[in-house]
Amino acid sequence: MSPTTRTPPTPPRPVGALRMDDARLAYDERVIAEHLDLTVVDGSFTVVIGPNACGKSTTLRALSNLLRPTAGTVALDGRAIHQLRAKELARRLGLLPQSALSPEGITVADLVARGRYPHQSMLARWSAADEQAVGAALESTGITDLAARQVDELSGGQRQRAWVAMVLAQQTDLLLLDEPTTFLDIAHQIALMDLFATLHAQGRTVVAVLHDINHAARYATDLVVMSEGRIHAEGDPAEVITPDLLATVFGLDAAVIEDPVNGGPLVVPRHGTRPVPPAVPEPLPTPERSCP
């Protein structure tokens, strides 16, 4: 009798604060992504990258409960995320959306203060702890001097930092950031990414959608690469980012070398690279207001 061939068991997925299982994400009848299995490990700095229209932002919307999967589940600490009350979820999860709208005429200080709403009740309104959290958020994003300015008077980069400050004022253990460096010059991009890295080092779990592959390689502990609505690869950036992956997913002819300053992989595109033909774009979601 020939020996029975056994298939090695599939290793268990790691336990994470935030977990997506076999999810299908759609707007009405239009499916954007499906069969998504994603675990955000506690204490990780997870970065999601991929070409335009691959489903990155839609995935983040589902993880933050702005979009409910049409199949599969999203859970936070083992509980279906859509079952959590809004205030309870806001005490656990801070979200920086891609398209944020602020009330007309609101000042930077008042916008950032709205990040404290989840921690207040009918009996306990503004407190010294709230004041301290708002001050720290303004300082850490470098906009203390803009506190009295109206948000709609700011430049795109200043406005982006005001929204980041509001999310930081929530003081959640879990941060979800959709293209947080949008509108920022390179110095402010690095300053903001360094801030997120510091928060991560202090124990926060961070999930960010980024376009810049080198930012992703530098800051991520866990890298997720999406393509055409599926997860193409995930793991340590040093193992995931290869010339083959860049060619297959991004249509990019590039070398991957060791970053001479920070270590880790550094992507160096070759001259004359042509991008892959654009995919059918995701529908633009209705802008979500992050502040209560």
Side-chain angles (χ1 to χ4, degrees):
M1 180 182 296
S2 60
T4 302
T5 302
R6 293 183 178 273
T7 303
T10 302
R13 290 170 60 195
V15 176
L18 193 57
R19 181 171 174 135
M20 178 181 287
D21 287 288
D22 197 24
R24 181 172 68 242
L25 310 179
Y27 296 102
D28 296 324
E29 299 299 319
R30 184 175 174 187
V31 176
I32 302 299
E34 57 185 342
H35 302 303
L36 292 180
D37 292 316
L38 177 61
T39 298
V40 177
V41 179
D42 269 330
S44 68
F45 194 144
T46 299
V47 175
V48 184
I49 63 173
N52 290 339
C54 70
K56 303 185 299 296
S57 293
T58 298
T59 298
L60 203 71
R61 285 172 60 82
L63 288 174
S64 63
N65 201 35
L66 290 181
L67 177 68
R68 187 169 175 179
T70 57
T73 60
V74 176
L76 180 62
D77 290 337
R79 296 175 61 189
I81 198 169
H82 69 272
Q83 294 178 350
L84 299 177
R85 294 183 177 181
K87 224 171 187 180
E88 180 183 1
L89 182 60
R91 286 193 292 266
R92 291 293 321 282
L93 183 154
L95 170 68
L96 176 68
Q98 188 178 118
S99 301
L101 296 177
S102 59
E104 185 177 352
I106 193 171
T107 66
V108 170
D110 286 342
L111 176 67
V112 178
R114 295 197 175 199
R116 300 304 300 163
Y117 172 77
H119 303 280
Q120 297 170 348
S121 66
M122 293 295 294
L123 299 179
R125 291 292 187 175
W126 196 254
S127 68
D130 296 327
E131 192 73 35
Q132 183 179 9
V134 169
L138 290 168
E139 183 178 359
S140 64
T141 51
I143 57 171
T144 302
D145 60 334
L146 301 177
R149 294 272 303 275
Q150 292 188 8
V151 174
D152 50 17
E153 295 176 351
L154 304 180
S155 69
Q158 291 170 330
R159 192 178 300 119
Q160 183 75 350
R161 284 187 283 155
W163 280 103
V164 170
M166 194 206 75
V167 174
L168 296 184
Q170 280 182 247
Q171 295 185 319
T172 59
D173 293 329
L174 182 57
L175 293 173
L176 269 59
L177 313 165
D178 194 356
E179 299 185 29
T181 56
T182 298
F183 305 119
L184 300 180
D185 58 54
I186 185 62
H188 282 111
Q189 287 182 34
I190 297 300
L192 204 57
M193 292 303 298
D194 283 348
L195 171 61
F196 297 141
T198 298
L199 295 172
H200 168 249
Q202 293 171 349
R204 306 267 190 113
T205 301
V206 181
V207 185
V209 168
L210 297 178
H211 273 300
D212 192 307
I213 301 173
N214 285 325
H215 281 358
R218 177 178 179 181
Y219 292 97
T221 62
D222 296 80
L223 187 65
V224 177
V225 182
M226 293 191 66
S227 176
E228 297 181 346
R230 302 290 182 95
I231 294 177
H232 182 88
E234 56 185 318
D236 187 299
E239 299 176 358
V240 170
I241 298 177
T242 64
D244 285 346
L245 177 132
L246 296 171
T248 300
V249 175
F250 295 93
L252 183 65
D253 181 13
V256 180
I257 63 174
E258 182 178 355
D259 187 327
V261 176
N262 302 296
L266 179 68
V267 176
V268 182
R270 293 185 172 88
H271 181 68
T273 295
R274 291 187 177 183
V276 294
V280 177
E282 296 180 52
L284 290 176
T286 301
E288 296 286 346
R289 187 179 296 172
S290 290
C291 55

